[in-house]
Amino acid sequence: MLATKRAKVLIQSASFKILDEIYTYNIPQSEDNNVDKTICLITDVRTDPALPGNEDFHALDKEVEVQIFYGLSAPDPDEFETQLQHLFIQNGWSELDNRGHTLDPDTNQLTATFYFDYLEIEGALERPFLIQKEGNN
């Protein structure tokens, strides 16, 4: 499964109330200047062969970037971001980086960027998600 799709399904499974939309690869033009919604954008960073052996590889190391563009009236994101990190970690991902918050000078929107990594082993059974509902750390 593509890492972007896996990440999107995982985030959707948590039903975070703060998120209005979740997109992969790009934000539709119709949403480009929307400062009222909180939008999550998931993009691919890399997919590398892993677990070498017998002159081959047996897993794929997949990394995604998760960007959050907060609506201007969104609540404080601290609790949501902690829950998002727990969700990924509890479902077999590793957090590689948290780039902190930036403020878009044109829209005044707060943004946050995270990098998560998933090791997909060939032939491994798909595990069901451990759903982390909002407010249940």
Side-chain angles (χ1 to χ4, degrees):
M1 176 185 295
L2 288 174
T4 51
K5 181 178 181 182
R6 181 184 299 277
K8 181 178 182 179
V9 169
L10 179 61
I11 294 171
Q12 286 173 327
S13 74
S15 301
F16 290 116
K17 291 180 181 131
I18 194 171
L19 293 178
D20 296 304
E21 303 291 346
I22 304 169
Y23 297 110
T24 55
Y25 300 107
N26 65 351
I27 296 173
Q29 271 189 324
S30 61
E31 299 282 8
D32 253 358
N33 296 314
N34 190 333
V35 296
D36 298 321
K37 290 183 177 181
T38 296
I39 295 173
C40 175
L41 176 64
I42 306 162
T43 55
D44 270 321
V45 174
R46 63 177 177 79
T47 299
D48 296 327
L51 297 180
N54 294 329
E55 298 181 17
D56 203 356
F57 66 92
H58 302 283
L60 293 171
D61 188 13
K62 300 179 175 189
E63 183 180 348
V64 297
E65 177 185 70
V66 177
Q67 293 178 285
I68 311 295
F69 301 88
Y70 293 99
L72 293 180
S73 61
D76 184 293
D78 192 55
E79 184 177 335
F80 158 70
E81 290 175 3
T82 301
Q83 292 170 353
L84 181 71
Q85 291 167 303
H86 281 296
L87 178 69
F88 274 88
I89 300 299
Q90 292 171 359
N91 283 281
W93 294 73
S94 299
E95 183 176 344
L96 300 179
D97 199 6
N98 175 345
R99 297 279 170 96
H101 298 96
T102 59
L103 193 65
D104 184 301
D106 297 324
T107 65
N108 288 321
Q109 280 184 281
L110 185 67
T111 67
T113 304
F114 300 89
Y115 291 85
F116 296 103
D117 182 77
Y118 185 82
L119 185 66
E120 187 173 276
I121 300 172
E122 289 181 346
L125 296 174
E126 292 291 320
R127 293 185 307 155
F129 295 128
L130 299 173
I131 298 173
Q132 179 73 34
K133 291 289 185 183
E134 201 167 359
N136 296 332
N137 289 354

